[in-house]
Amino acid sequence: MPTSDHDLTAILADDHRDLARFCTELELDQGSPENRKELADHLIAQFVQHLVAEDLPRPGDDHDEVDDVMRRLADTGPQQPQFETLLGAFIQTVRSHVDESGPAALQQIQSSCSPDRLRHLGKAVRQSRDRARSVPHPAVSDRVAPKSVLRRGSGIVDRARSAASQSLPQDEQHH
């Protein structure tokens, strides 16, 4: 089914596959430290976009703990000793979401929303993500779709959350 026909649950399921793929790439521990940092920043942006979309039909989820890890990782250079520790913790969080809480959330969303509502939310997420497009960094351009890359560096969590939610209709925003 083409992405344009996807409802919110299909988009979120696609996100889960993409998140798992980037975790695997980072777990393979290949590439320069700078490349790993680029991939880590991309994973942060993707995960934030995913959480914003997942929260649309069920506001109120608390992401403070994962936000803290993402912020610390985004602010840590690839040569700093704590980079790999923070990256490992973040990958574990993403894997846990993809493998455990994510599928349960998808079932809850699907059972609590009408098909029309799911299509409407899916369209809002696609439009929001299209408006948040940017040019990928050369280090990840061969593996990352341009629409999903956000500027790296300090504040990436806030920029990703803002970009993912700012163009959603007012009644769709919960953060």
Side-chain angles (χ1 to χ4, degrees):
M1 176 185 298
T3 302
S4 63
D5 294 338
H6 281 178
D7 68 15
L8 180 63
T9 56
I11 291 169
L12 295 174
D14 287 346
D15 286 354
H16 286 164
R17 284 186 290 279
D18 290 344
L19 291 167
R21 183 174 49 88
F22 279 102
C23 285
T24 298
E25 188 165 344
L26 283 162
E27 289 166 334
L28 291 174
D29 196 24
Q30 298 174 343
S32 69
E34 291 75 19
N35 181 261
R36 289 176 57 68
K37 174 65 174 167
E38 292 290 338
L39 288 172
D41 286 347
H42 177 73
L43 181 60
I44 290 169
Q46 288 289 104
F47 194 57
V48 169
Q49 284 183 345
H50 173 77
L51 292 177
V52 168
E54 195 172 84
D55 285 352
L56 283 174
R58 44 186 203 99
D61 281 359
D62 181 16
H63 301 296
D64 289 345
E65 188 174 316
V66 71
D67 277 1
D68 179 59
V69 171
M70 288 187 294
R71 289 175 203 281
R72 290 175 36 221
L73 178 59
D75 291 338
T76 302
Q79 304 294 346
Q80 292 177 274
Q82 66 270 33
F83 176 78
E84 290 297 330
T85 302
L86 289 168
L87 180 58
F90 182 54
I91 289 172
Q92 183 177 5
T93 298
V94 173
R95 288 265 188 218
S96 174
H97 175 82
V98 167
D99 296 338
E100 298 163 19
S101 61
L106 288 179
Q107 285 182 328
Q108 181 184 11
I109 290 167
Q110 193 160 31
S111 67
S112 67
C113 294
S114 70
D116 285 343
R117 178 83 172 135
L118 291 172
R119 282 189 298 275
H120 172 75
L121 291 172
K123 181 179 179 181
V125 167
R126 283 189 313 278
Q127 289 173 343
S128 173
R129 289 180 181 183
D130 286 346
R131 288 183 190 116
R133 290 178 192 238
S134 73
V135 178
H137 186 279
V140 295
S141 63
D142 62 332
R143 295 181 304 282
V144 176
K147 69 180 182 181
S148 58
V149 180
L150 298 173
R151 286 189 341 258
R152 64 179 287 221
S154 183
I156 191 173
V157 175
D158 295 324
R159 286 194 311 273
R161 193 174 306 285
S162 176
S165 63
Q166 75 184 126
S167 59
L168 291 172
Q170 285 299 84
D171 68 324
E172 304 288 309
Q173 294 183 21
H174 301 294
H175 293 286

